[in-house]
Amino acid sequence: MADFDSYCDFCAVRDKDDVDRVYHDTRYGFPITDDTELFALLVMEINQAGLSWRTILNKEQNFRSAYDGFDIPTVAAYGESDRARLLDDAGIIRNRLKVNAAIHNANAILDLQREHGSFKNWLDAHHPLDKADWVKLFKKRFKFVGGEIVGEFLMSSGYLKGAHVESCPVHEKILKAGPAWAGATAR
């Protein structure tokens, strides 16, 4: 992607059925309201660390299968046999820190659901924040969440602006979908 100014430019020249193009055109930056899908995105963003997003997109169905459809209570209850199963699964990223983070983060989301009704409600309650404040907030609750991971998670789910350049045709579609960033400015 080094020859392109943005992910939008990179995807614009890809085939319509290319995994990056499909993600860019239909999911990247669109608001996510479902806690399961927010958790899925967080797990995938964490697993992307050190790898290309294309690698993660190509393994997405494997992740969904390995992590029981990203069912939050199920993943939160994973024990040692589940950790071993995940670390043996060549269809996903086999990294102990990332696997442990998924389990820890599922438990953190269960806590947020008890406290706020949903993960989304917790995100909404803290919106708008700038990226640095979001990172501090995430680090208090979650594991394996640095600036890049938090920033991409929030852009991907519609909480931070920047997923698309304004000249990208998808940018208008996202505005019509009502992302959180379009309705407020950072505190």
Side-chain angles (χ1 to χ4, degrees), residues 5 43 53 82 86 113 121 137 140 148 166 174 185:
D5 291 330
V43 171
W53 186 241
D82 295 297
L86 292 167
Q113 289 174 332
N121 287 349
L137 188 66
K140 288 179 184 176
E148 280 299 306
E166 290 188 18
I174 290 172
T185 57

Side-chain angles (χ1 to χ4, degrees), residues 44-180:
M44 291 191 307
E45 290 291 355
I46 287 168
N47 277 277
Q48 186 272 328
L51 303 168
S52 74
W53 186 241
R54 186 176 189 82
T55 297
I56 300 305
L57 290 174
N58 283 327
K59 292 179 176 277
E60 182 176 1
Q61 292 312 311
N62 297 339
F63 274 104
R64 287 187 182 279
S65 177
Y67 282 95
D68 291 292
F70 293 110
D71 182 71
I72 298 164
T74 301
V75 176
Y78 280 179
E80 288 309 312
S81 64
D82 295 297
R83 279 184 177 84
R85 173 182 55 81
L86 292 167
L87 291 170
D88 271 349
D89 189 336
I92 64 169
I93 306 305
R94 297 179 291 182
N95 176 301
R96 184 172 301 281
L97 293 174
K98 293 175 181 183
V99 167
N100 288 341
I103 297 165
H104 171 87
N105 294 344
N107 280 285
I109 291 171
L110 287 179
D111 290 342
L112 293 175
Q113 289 174 332
R114 283 188 286 274
E115 295 169 22
H116 298 273
S118 72
F119 184 22
K120 182 189 180 316
N121 287 349
W122 179 78
L123 291 166
D124 290 344
H126 293 288
H127 181 76
L129 293 174
D130 64 21
K131 181 180 164 183
D133 288 334
W134 276 116
V135 172
K136 289 177 196 169
L137 188 66
F138 267 66
K139 285 186 173 202
K140 288 179 184 176
R141 294 282 187 154
F142 300 105
K143 297 230 182 268
F144 214 102
V145 287
E148 280 299 306
I149 290 167
V150 173
E152 279 299 322
F153 169 79
L154 293 167
M155 277 195 299
S156 297
S157 60
Y159 283 92
L160 282 180
K161 187 176 183 178
H164 297 268
V165 295
E166 290 188 18
S167 60
C168 177
V170 178
H171 182 76
E172 281 301 313
K173 292 177 186 176
I174 290 172
L175 281 175
K176 288 178 183 170

